[in-house]
């Protein structure tokens, strides 16, 4: 099917905007400055042997990493289900995938840390299992190498395999993202349906490759911070929270770009927004289901190697509620219940004011969810009855700087891509259906 006739009247608004370059440059400058400040905190932490700034850098990276994984999964889903309505939306996601190389760039300091580039003493600061000679917190006289749980997992938790896996993660994400972009953009000048067929083939591969990638990346980057802990639901949690983040970002992009005078004005309609709201509601419920199941299964099994992870997030060594107890309540009520009840309402999903506010709310508490999963840990304290204290919830300037810095690089990549193609895939076989879609 050739849809060029149906879209010929839209040629003016579909012309690629070349005015995005100054905005992209500004975003790049903000990104470089923010990342430089974040790296300042990172190197300060390395030199002072303080792990907290390193955790802040990982959180800043993890936010944008999860967002782009969510967006990539949306592209895969749209192609797999051969959906007609999201063709207009899909092009915005394809532009966003241009930021994946920026994520690889932002991960380099963490990779150098793992390689021991800042000295052997710093190698195991973030991921302790990288230096098994470290003392075992809470067990005087023992090292990580003496821990039976580490010995059992050492086949997986070792530097060579970690490096191989990191390369595979970014190769899969970058490779699939670039293939989708190449074939989708090629259709703008060459209306050949074979490009769509290729994208569907890549989506079929990506439906297996990306979930495996995000699962093992969540294991390596986040779960292995507490290497003795394990959860079969952790990869599914990361998928669910990444989808929520990716959908929220997509809503904000599409609503902004469809304002009067913007490229998607008159193309992204109420029906498109409604279905994005429905997707947001779907993954809100799915996230709650997965998170509750993880907690319930661990609570029910009552295995010390699993329950300690939640104990750290509920109690101090003196058995009083710590700051993470209140963070967990905020996640329950603000990351689930409030968005859930708002998204149940039809008018929320079609409102150009309310739905973006819900999306911003979700993104803010997604960051809090990352704090909850990444930051808590044991800090050696010989005066404590347990031999350690729990690292409490704090927000550091280096956290915010890294978040803004990596975000600036990602936004710059998106804006630069935006000016190189048509606003929507004008020759996609189902573009007519997307443009005319209604509730």
């Amino acid at each position: 099917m050739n849809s060029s006739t149906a879209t010929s009247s839209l040629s003016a608004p579909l012309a690629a905007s070349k005015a995005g370059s100054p905005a992209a440059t500004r975003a790049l400058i903000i990104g470089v400055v923010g990342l430089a400040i974040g790296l300042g905190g990172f190197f300060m932490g390395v030199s002072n042997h303080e792990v907290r700034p390193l955790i802040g850098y990982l959180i800043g990276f993890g936010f944008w990493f999860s967002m782009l994984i969510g967006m990539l999964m949306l592209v895969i889903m749209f192609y797999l289900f051969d959906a007609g309505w999201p063709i207009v939306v899909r092009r915005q996601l394809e532009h966003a995938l241009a930021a994946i190389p920026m994520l690889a760039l932002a991960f380099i300091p963490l990779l150098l840390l793992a390689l021991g580039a800042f000295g052997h003493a710093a190698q195991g600061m973030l991921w302790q299992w990288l230096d098994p000679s470290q003392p075992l917190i809470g067990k005087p006289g023992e090292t990580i190498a003496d821990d039976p749980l580490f010995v059992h997992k050492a086949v997986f938790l070792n530097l060579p395999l970690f490096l191989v896996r990191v390369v595979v993660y970014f190769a899969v994400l970058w490779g699939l993202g670039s293939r989708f972009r190449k074939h989708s953009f090629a259709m703008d000048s060459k209306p050949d349906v074979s490009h769509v067929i290729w994208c569907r083939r890549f989506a079929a591969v990506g439906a297996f490759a990306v979930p495996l990638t995000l699962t093992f990346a969540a294991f390596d980057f986040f779960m292995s911070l507490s290497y003795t802990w394990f959860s079969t639901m952790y990869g599914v949690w990361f998928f669910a929270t990444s989808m929520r983040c990716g959908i929220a970002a997509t809503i904000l992009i599409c609503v902004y770009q469809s304002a009067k005078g913007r490229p998607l004005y008159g193309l992204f309609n109420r029906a498109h927004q409604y279905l994005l709201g429905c997707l947001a509601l779907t993954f809100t419920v799915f996230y709650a289901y997965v998170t509750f199941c993880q907690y319930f299964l661990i609570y029910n099994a009552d295995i010390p190697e699993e329950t300690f992870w939640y104990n750290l997030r509920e109690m101090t060594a003196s058995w009083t509620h710590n700051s993470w107890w209140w963070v967990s309540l905020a996640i329950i009520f603000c990351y689930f219940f409030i968005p859930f009840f708002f998204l149940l309402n039809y008018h929320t999903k079609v409102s150009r004011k309310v739905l973006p506010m819900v999306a911003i709310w979700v993104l803010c508490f997604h960051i809090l969810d990352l704090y909850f999963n990444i930051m808590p840990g044991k800090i050696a304290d010989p005066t404590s009855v347990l031999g350690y204290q729990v690292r409490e919830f704090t927000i550091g300037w280096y956290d915010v700087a890294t978040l803004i810095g990596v975000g600036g690089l990602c936004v710059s990549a998106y804006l630069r891509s935006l000016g190189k193609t048509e606003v929507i895939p004008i020759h996609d076989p189902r573009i007519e259906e997307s443009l005319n879609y209604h509730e």
Side-chain angles (χ1 to χ4, degrees):
M1 181 190 298
N2 192 322
S3 59
S4 57
T5 303
T7 58
S8 59
S9 61
L10 298 170
S11 56
L14 293 180
S17 171
K18 305 302 179 186
S21 182
T25 302
R26 287 193 294 271
L28 181 61
I29 293 172
I30 292 172
V32 170
V33 172
L35 196 60
I37 296 173
L39 285 172
F42 182 93
F43 293 124
M44 179 190 70
V46 170
S47 61
N48 296 333
H49 208 73
E50 295 179 4
V51 71
R52 176 62 184 81
L54 278 60
I55 291 174
Y57 190 92
L58 181 62
I59 290 171
F61 164 82
F63 174 78
W64 297 99
F65 181 70
S66 60
M67 180 185 292
L68 288 176
I69 279 181
M71 289 180 162
L72 180 57
M73 283 303 303
L74 280 174
V75 172
I76 290 171
M77 289 165 58
F78 291 159
Y79 275 116
L80 275 184
F81 291 103
D82 193 21
W85 70 268
I87 305 302
V88 169
V89 175
R90 195 190 70 216
R91 176 53 59 91
Q92 304 308 308
L93 299 175
E94 290 163 348
H95 287 310
L97 296 182
I100 293 176
M102 294 299 181
L103 285 179
L105 182 66
F107 191 78
I108 289 177
L110 295 170
L111 190 62
L112 292 175
L113 181 73
L115 285 169
F118 306 115
H120 178 73
Q123 188 173 18
M125 285 179 60
L126 188 58
W127 295 294
Q128 294 179 343
W129 51 269
L130 285 170
D131 180 13
S133 64
Q134 290 187 80
L136 198 58
I137 296 177
K139 295 184 178 181
E142 296 186 32
T143 65
I144 293 175
D146 300 321
D147 188 348
L149 290 173
F150 171 75
V151 173
H152 183 70
K153 298 178 181 181
V155 175
F156 183 84
L157 295 179
N158 59 79
L159 181 59
L161 276 182
F162 176 75
L163 297 177
V164 170
R165 290 194 300 269
V166 168
V167 171
V168 170
Y169 300 153
F170 286 107
V172 169
L173 300 178
W174 196 345
L176 282 172
S178 64
R179 292 300 91 188
F180 286 131
R181 284 166 48 82
K182 175 185 176 181
H183 287 283
S184 179
F185 296 167
M187 276 192 295
D188 290 349
S189 56
K190 183 181 179 182
D192 188 345
V193 74
S194 66
H195 291 299
V196 176
I197 295 173
W198 272 109
C199 284
R200 289 176 185 166
R201 290 171 178 168
F202 288 125
V205 174
F208 295 94
V210 175
L212 285 172
T213 297
L214 69 89
T215 296
F216 282 93
F219 291 166
D220 277 328
F221 298 163
F222 310 134
M223 191 168 74
S224 73
L225 292 170
S226 300
Y227 70 88
T228 58
W229 185 63
F230 53 91
S231 168
T232 56
M233 301 293 290
Y234 201 76
V236 190
W237 159 79
F238 189 60
F239 165 73
T241 199
S242 296
M243 290 301 297
R244 294 189 70 188
C245 183
I247 292 169
T250 303
I251 289 171
L252 291 176
I253 291 172
C254 290
V255 170
Y256 173 76
Q257 292 287 46
S258 62
K260 191 171 183 179
R262 304 297 302 171
L264 287 181
Y265 179 67
L267 303 177
F268 177 80
N269 61 37
R270 177 181 173 126
H272 298 133
Q273 180 176 316
Y274 171 74
L275 289 178
L276 283 178
C278 290
L279 280 174
L281 175 61
T282 299
F283 282 97
T284 298
V285 175
F286 181 64
Y287 166 85
Y289 167 76
V290 169
T291 307
F292 171 76
C293 283
Q294 176 174 275
Y295 184 88
F296 179 76
L297 290 172
I298 290 176
Y299 176 86
N300 192 50
D302 198 21
I303 301 172
E305 289 82 1
E306 297 177 348
T307 55
F308 86 91
W309 193 85
Y310 281 107
N311 289 338
L312 291 178
R313 288 158 174 79
E314 292 180 6
M315 299 291 181
T316 65
S318 58
W319 301 106
T320 58
H321 285 157
N322 60 24
S323 58
W324 295 108
W325 167 257
W326 306 107
V327 171
S328 66
L329 292 181
I331 291 173
I332 292 170
F333 289 99
C334 298
Y335 195 35
F336 169 59
F337 277 113
I338 291 178
F340 172 71
F341 285 120
F342 266 95
L343 291 169
L344 281 178
N345 192 308
Y346 170 82
H347 295 289
T348 296
K349 293 193 278 285
V350 298
S351 171
R352 289 297 176 102
K353 294 181 179 179
V354 180
L355 187 62
M357 292 303 296
V358 173
I360 293 171
W361 181 275
V362 167
L363 290 177
C364 290
F365 283 94
H366 171 66
I367 297 173
L368 191 66
D369 192 31
L370 291 177
Y371 270 94
F372 182 81
N373 278 271
I374 294 173
M375 186 183 294
K378 298 177 181 179
I379 301 176
D381 182 6
T383 65
S384 171
V385 64
L386 297 177
Y388 64 85
Q389 295 288 346
V390 178
R391 184 180 299 109
E392 298 286 355
F393 172 64
T394 57
I395 298 177
W397 56 268
Y398 29 76
D399 307 0
V400 178
T402 304
L403 192 67
I404 294 173
V406 179
L409 297 182
C410 292
V411 171
S412 174
Y414 165 79
L415 291 174
R416 291 187 186 281
S417 177
L418 194 65
K420 296 178 181 178
T421 68
E422 300 286 0
V423 177
I424 61 174
I426 57 175
H427 294 136
D428 189 283
R430 306 195 72 173
I431 188 62
E432 257 189 283
E433 180 181 349
S434 183
L435 292 172
N436 298 318
Y437 184 79
H438 60 276
E439 298 174 59

